[in-house]
Amino acid sequence: MRRITLLLFVIVLVTACQKDAGDGGNSSIRGKVTKEIRLILDNPNTTQHVVPAADVDMYIQYGDHTSPDDRIQTNYDGEFEFLQLRPGKYTIYCFSKDTNSVAVNWDEDHMPIIRNVEITDSKQVVEVDEMVVFDQN
């Protein structure tokens, strides 16, 4: 009887210690955002120049959450880093001006640029592919 009780206690203890994606770990996700300036927003052939995207709001969602769990801004060189994350799945995103030719008038500044990321190990640094936001000159 003691063995069964001890076994159940160990199982409960182990499952209680497993944590979902989120803060409190030793891993990080980092990347860079650039801004592509165009004369005509929906025409890539009118690109004037590409510059680091400073002060862009970056959002992170932990696991399957539907709302952002944290927000930071890119630095002067367009770089960002979410620190102290645990292993798990994350969604990183920011917003750009809409480059569709039929932009929605009420939301033309909120086309999402999204990256899905998975941290598989503690003390891991995951590099996100470059994210490009668009603006009109």
Side-chain angles (χ1 to χ4, degrees):
M1 185 65 168
R2 282 186 168 186
R3 286 184 183 174
I4 293 173
T5 305
L6 181 61
L7 181 61
L8 287 174
F9 177 74
V10 169
I11 290 171
V12 169
L13 183 64
V14 168
T15 56
C17 291
Q18 293 175 346
K19 297 185 178 183
D20 293 331
D23 57 0
N26 295 318
S27 297
S28 64
I29 299 172
R30 64 182 177 191
K32 184 169 184 167
V33 182
T34 56
K35 183 182 289 188
E36 186 175 307
I37 311 292
R38 298 176 177 177
L39 280 176
I40 302 169
L41 198 55
D42 63 351
N43 186 347
N45 296 325
T46 64
T47 298
Q48 297 298 296
H49 51 279
V50 177
V51 297
D55 299 326
V56 170
D57 287 330
M58 300 298 301
Y59 300 89
I60 187 170
Q61 287 175 238
Y62 304 155
D64 59 356
H65 292 182
T66 56
S67 298
D69 291 291
D70 199 3
R71 178 182 67 171
I72 60 173
Q73 285 190 316
T74 58
N75 67 9
Y76 64 91
D77 205 23
E79 300 166 331
F80 66 90
E81 186 170 20
F82 290 98
L83 300 169
Q84 300 176 338
L85 300 173
R86 293 191 302 254
K89 294 182 179 183
Y90 297 87
T91 302
I92 308 293
Y93 65 96
C94 61
F95 292 104
S96 171
K97 291 202 181 217
D98 196 340
T99 58
N100 297 321
S101 58
V102 288
V104 180
N105 292 336
W106 53 268
D107 203 15
E108 62 190 20
D109 290 337
H110 286 91
M111 180 179 78
I113 309 298
I114 302 169
R115 297 289 183 273
N116 293 307
V117 180
E118 184 170 7
I119 295 174
T120 57
D121 195 13
S122 62
K123 298 184 181 180
Q124 183 179 8
V125 177
V126 177
E127 294 278 342
V128 175
D129 292 338
E130 180 179 32
M131 301 173 79
V132 181
V133 296
F134 304 94
D135 204 352
Q136 192 168 10
N137 198 5

